[in-house]
């Protein structure tokens, strides 16, 4: 009988500059304690699909006078909670206090935690088969720093920007460019179970409703993301770790057709490569995000072509569909389905593989500080 697993996660924000990587912060088991208010996902919307954005309509334009709300009767929690109202106010940012007029954003966070057992497919110490593969000790999962300048094409002229992320911790080796053929970029920056990674380093161009990333960037595939601030749970779904890419190197264009529809189209050097490719790794990375209604959003993302190491330098196809629905002011439901087929697997061109995944998430907001969540996953793989 498997040992009963208990997981304790505690994430502490060292400093944070808007726009945030995503809307959620630290985790304590199935509870989520937000250390900052919801922030607009400008650049992060390209780092993680729009479905990852957690709408919090219950707290919009609502709060007590200390938080800038003229009507104290509405309450910060919007009447959802069993724990009463909670008012955090605006997040403190290092940039706002040191260089508020600078157009360069910078920030970061620390995330640390303890788990008694390996999670996912991991079964040995530091076997790199899941993020939580270093049990029975307190780990620094992510010490993260980033800097960015957002490209703004709204003035009908070209503008430029960039983004650079660096992370140290036990999570770093899992988001290195392990899909490279040689030990280039960050794949050799290891220190035992700890290591360094540079998951993003790209330039950005924007004109009107178009924007382009050129370089090394996070994938648009899926619901869960690598940055701890973008996930509710301490652990990750099997689909996320085994059936989806983390990063790409290439060019990714985005076109905002309307305030409800955005299209993405790009070319990448396979999966999880850093300014290099494995064999003949070349693939398209495309899809769209659609705000179907005020309460429902849909994201469809696919990759097709040669994934490099992941497909054994052979052909492959994958897609991920994420539907996010606000059932009411306090309850949110997320459905994700994934499919991947490759003619090779992990450097072996002779092994054909198929993966299927169905993930379901249900979140209930108690107030602006506390949230409950659950995840139910079915995953099948030829691996």
């Amino acid at each position: 009988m498997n040992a009963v697993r208990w997981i304790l996660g505690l994430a502490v924000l060292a400093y944070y500059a808007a726009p945030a990587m995503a809307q959620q912060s630290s985790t304590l088991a199935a509870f989520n304690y937000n250390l900052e208010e919801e922030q607009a996902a400008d650049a992060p919307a390209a780092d993680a699909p729009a479905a990852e954005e957690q709408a919090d309509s219950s707290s919009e334009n609502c709060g007590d006078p200390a938080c800038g709300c003229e009507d104290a009767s509405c309450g910060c929690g919007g009447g959802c909670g069993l724990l009463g109202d909670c008012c955090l106010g605006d997040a403190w940012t290092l940039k706002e206090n040191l260089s508020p007029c600078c157009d360069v954003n910078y920030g970061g966070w620390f995330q640390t935690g303890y788990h008694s057992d390996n999670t996912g497919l991991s079964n040995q110490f530091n076997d790199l088969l899941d993020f939580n593969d270093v049990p029975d000790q307190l780990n620094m999962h992510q010490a993260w720093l980033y800097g960015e300048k957002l490209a703004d094409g709204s003035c009908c002229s070209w503008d430029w920007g960039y983004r650079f992320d660096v992370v140290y911790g036990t999570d770093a080796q899992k988001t290195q460019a392990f899909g490279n053929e040689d030990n280039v970029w960050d794949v050799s920056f290891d220190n035992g179970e700890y290591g360094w990674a540079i998951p993003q380093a790209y330039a950005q161009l924007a004109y009107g409703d178009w924007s382009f990333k050129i370089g090394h960037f996070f994938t648009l595939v899926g619901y869960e993301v690598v940055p701890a601030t973008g996930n509710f749970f301490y652990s990750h779904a099997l689909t996320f770790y085994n059936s989806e890419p983390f990063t790409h190197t290439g060019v990714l264009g985005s076109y905002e057709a309307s305030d409800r529809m955005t299209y993405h189209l790009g070319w990448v050097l396979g999966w999880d490569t850093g300014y290099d490719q494995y064999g003949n790794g070349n693939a398209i990375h495309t899809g769209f995000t659609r705000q179907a209604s005020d309460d429902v959003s849909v994201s469809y993302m696919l990759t097709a072509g040669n994934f490099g190491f992941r497909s054994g330098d052979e052909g492959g196809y994958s897609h991920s569909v994420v539907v996010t629905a606000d059932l009411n002011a306090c309850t949110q439901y997320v459905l994700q389905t994934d499919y991947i087929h490759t003619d090779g697997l992990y450097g072996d061109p002779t092994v054909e593989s198929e993966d299927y995944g169905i993930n379901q998430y249900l979140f209930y907001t108690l107030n602006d500080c506390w949230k409950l969540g659950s995840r139910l996953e079915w995953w099948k793989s030829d691996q």
Side-chain angles (χ1 to χ4, degrees), residues 241-316:
Y241 194 85
N242 298 283
S243 303
E244 296 175 357
F246 296 152
T247 62
H248 302 286
T249 294
V251 178
L252 180 65
S254 299
Y255 174 66
E256 188 175 343
S258 68
D259 58 356
R260 289 180 173 266
M261 190 74 179
T262 301
Y263 297 97
H264 306 278
L265 176 62
W267 161 84
V268 296
L269 293 171
W271 283 19
D272 301 303
T273 61
Y275 292 99
D276 195 11
Q277 65 185 142
Y278 182 94
N280 297 310
N282 283 279
I284 62 170
H285 184 22
T286 186
F288 65 85
T289 56
R290 167 71 176 173
Q291 190 69 36
S293 69
D294 291 341
D295 300 320
V296 178
S297 64
V298 180
S299 169
Y300 174 83
M301 300 295 166
L302 71 84
T303 55
N306 187 327
F307 299 162
F309 178 74
R310 178 60 174 82
S311 64
D313 200 24
E314 298 291 335

Side-chain angles (χ1 to χ4, degrees), residues 22 24-27 32 52 223-233 235-236 240:
Q24 295 170 326
S25 294
S26 49
T27 59
N32 190 30
E52 183 66 18
Y223 177 72
E224 297 183 18
V225 293
V226 173
T229 53
N231 301 300
F232 181 87
F233 292 105
S235 62
H236 280 287
F240 170 74

Side-chain angles (χ1 to χ4, degrees), residues 68-236:
C69 177
E70 296 180 359
D71 184 6
S73 63
C74 64
C76 287
C80 294
L82 303 175
L83 303 179
D85 290 346
C86 176
C87 186
L88 294 176
D90 293 333
W92 183 92
T93 67
L94 188 68
K95 175 183 179 297
E96 181 179 336
N97 287 270
L98 295 183
S99 55
C101 297
C102 180
D103 61 354
V104 176
N105 299 318
Y106 50 88
W109 59 87
F110 293 102
Q111 189 248 331
T112 186
Y114 174 88
H115 51 100
S116 62
D117 287 62
N118 298 59
T119 60
L121 299 183
S122 176
N123 54 69
Q124 296 184 23
F125 189 90
N126 194 34
D127 58 9
L128 303 181
L129 295 179
D130 196 64
F131 275 95
N132 300 325
D133 64 343
V134 188
D136 298 320
Q137 65 183 43
L138 185 66
N139 297 304
M140 172 65 73
H141 297 286
Q142 297 181 5
W144 200 294
L145 294 174
Y146 73 88
E148 67 177 352
K149 176 187 178 296
L150 299 178
D152 182 7
S154 60
C155 296
C156 297
S157 62
W158 286 98
D159 191 26
W160 65 277
Y162 58 84
R163 172 104 186 187
F164 184 86
D165 294 71
V166 60
V167 58
Y168 178 79
T170 58
D171 284 359
Q173 294 182 43
K174 290 79 172 180
T175 190
Q176 291 174 344
F178 52 82
N180 286 352
E181 188 163 7
D182 300 311
N183 288 333
V184 298
W185 195 237
D186 58 2
V187 73
S188 61
F189 297 168
D190 297 337
N191 181 24
E193 63 266 28
Y194 282 76
W196 293 89
I198 307 174
Q200 294 199 112
Y202 63 81
Q204 186 180 27
L205 296 174
Y207 181 85
D209 296 324
W210 287 91
S211 65
F212 301 89
K213 290 181 179 179
I214 307 168
H216 186 50
F217 44 80
F218 281 126
T219 188
L220 299 180
V221 173
Y223 177 72
E224 297 183 18
V225 293
V226 173
T229 53
N231 301 300
F232 181 87
F233 292 105
Y234 178 84
S235 62
H236 280 287

